[in-house]
Amino acid sequence: MAKQNRRRRTGRKPAAAPGLPVDAALSGDPSQVADAIATVAFLAAQGDKNAIGRFVEQVAGAESGAGVQLAAARIIARAFDFGWLPSDIHEAARRRVDEFAIGYLTDLIADHRVGFAPESVDEIWQRQLDELSATVWWTSDRPHLEQWADRALLTDAEALTAALTALALLIQLPKLEQIVPLPGTRGQTVTHRHVDERTLGRVRGLLAKAESTSFAEEAETLSAKAQELMTKYAIDRALIDAERTDPDLPAARRIWLETPYTDAKALLIDMVTRANRSRAIFVADWGFVTIVGDDPDLDAVEILSTSLLVQATRTMIDNATTEESRSRHYRKAFLTAYTSRIGERLAAAAEATIADSPDATHLLPVLAGHRQRVDKAFDTYFPTVQTRGITIRSAEGWTAGTEAADRADVDNP
């Protein structure tokens, strides 16, 4: 405010930083301000680390709220057009920007949702919005940026810096597969058929016990039982769908991974995905796995993977009794070997459940047809998939991980 008052008293503008659209930002025209904001965010996204700071130093205090809001609406819409979902944007932000930029992005997501009728928003899109607690809390009498700055206790310069940082991240986001219909896409919202709450409750109970026990054998037995329950449910669903003339199309979801050892963790998800008749692909640069399959199978993958990642990590830490076993190479090798073996054994448990089904003869061609539909959907989403391996630099860690998995009792209790 002091800078703006000085400009009004002297009639002079500060010297524009070379290459930055300062004059447009100070014009007071929301359209010109929006273009200026987008330009600076683009420069930052392209690697100019000083662009935001130099720009904010020149324009902080100017009436730019309406222009920032206009630019932000365009840039967030582009991110959604590029296939990013609300939770994807949140997870990417959580890994790359500070809490203020994250908060600003949450408001942008909420604002974008306002313009669409509830029936035109896919349930997954809306659920992710609800999980982020993204709501329009501000009023229309002042620009959002001003009200957000007041709420977050930020100065004008700090608020503008956070907004530009958030927009620069959005511009950096690459184009992804459109796995959920965009809000407002008429006639294309999807009916999702999830695992019933009773079955999910039993599975969650088993996995909670598996995560709480200090005995690896008991944990693996409980996890195998959870896999058995999910497989039985999937068998029932597959037989029902086989009688329908309009079987559900395979769906897709993204699972974000925490560092370190994301490639080993992605391998665990891949193994669980295979055991549940689905497909997976890992986007290493951003740290997420996309899984493709029927909704009940994807429910199984998500709940089992989440629990098994907790169990595998705990087992890895519990086995860290020497200097070597605490090294990064050892831990990565241990986790990779452990998850590989557990994945194989979960697949064996699923296959045994299918073989023991009283409808096994009728079920096999049904599952074969299911596999073809999943493969077709996967190839449609990812026509140019490249396979890559994981580099292991600790034979000791690999051996220990394999032995730990082999000792685990995954037979049904």
Side-chain angles (χ1 to χ4, degrees), residues 267-311:
L267 176 63
L268 183 147
I269 293 175
D270 181 58
M271 291 297 180
V272 177
T273 302
R274 291 169 186 261
N276 288 277
R277 300 155 299 282
S278 304
R279 299 280 301 275
I281 185 170
F282 178 41
V283 179
D285 290 346
W286 290 88
F288 65 81
V289 177
T290 303
I291 54 177
V292 179
D294 286 353
D295 277 314
D297 291 335
L298 299 187
D299 289 342
V301 172
E302 285 191 308
I303 192 171
L304 287 166
S305 295
T306 300
S307 178
L308 288 169
L309 283 171
V310 171
Q311 296 178 50

Side-chain angles (χ1 to χ4, degrees), residues 13-31:
K13 296 180 181 178
L20 296 178
V22 172
D23 288 340
L26 295 174
S27 67
D29 178 355
S31 180

Side-chain angles (χ1 to χ4, degrees), residues 261 311-320 331-332 334-335:
Y261 320 119
Q311 296 178 50
T313 302
R314 184 191 61 208
T315 303
M316 176 187 69
I317 293 173
D318 289 346
N319 279 268
R331 289 189 169 189
K332 181 178 178 180
F334 182 99
L335 187 58

Side-chain angles (χ1 to χ4, degrees), residues 347-363:
E351 291 171 5
T353 303
I354 293 171
D356 292 340
S357 170
D359 298 301
T361 302
H362 178 53
L363 182 61

Side-chain angles (χ1 to χ4, degrees), residues 124 179 190 192 248-253 291-295 298 374 377 381:
I124 290 179
I179 63 174
V190 178
H192 299 278
D248 294 333
L249 295 175
R253 302 181 197 175
I291 54 177
V292 179
D294 286 353
D295 277 314
L298 299 187
V374 171
Y381 284 127

Side-chain angles (χ1 to χ4, degrees), residues 71 81 98 155 176 356 369:
D81 286 341
D98 64 23
T155 65
L176 301 178
D356 292 340

Side-chain angles (χ1 to χ4, degrees), residues 71-89:
R74 294 171 180 169
I75 294 172
I76 193 79
R78 172 184 176 272
F80 291 134
D81 286 341
F82 271 27
W84 290 74
L85 299 174
S87 65
D88 296 328
I89 291 174

Side-chain angles (χ1 to χ4, degrees), residues 83 135 142 217 225 299-300 302 312 348 369 407 409:
T135 58
R142 286 194 300 152
E217 294 85 354
K225 183 63 176 177
D299 289 342
E302 285 191 308
R407 288 193 302 269
D409 179 10

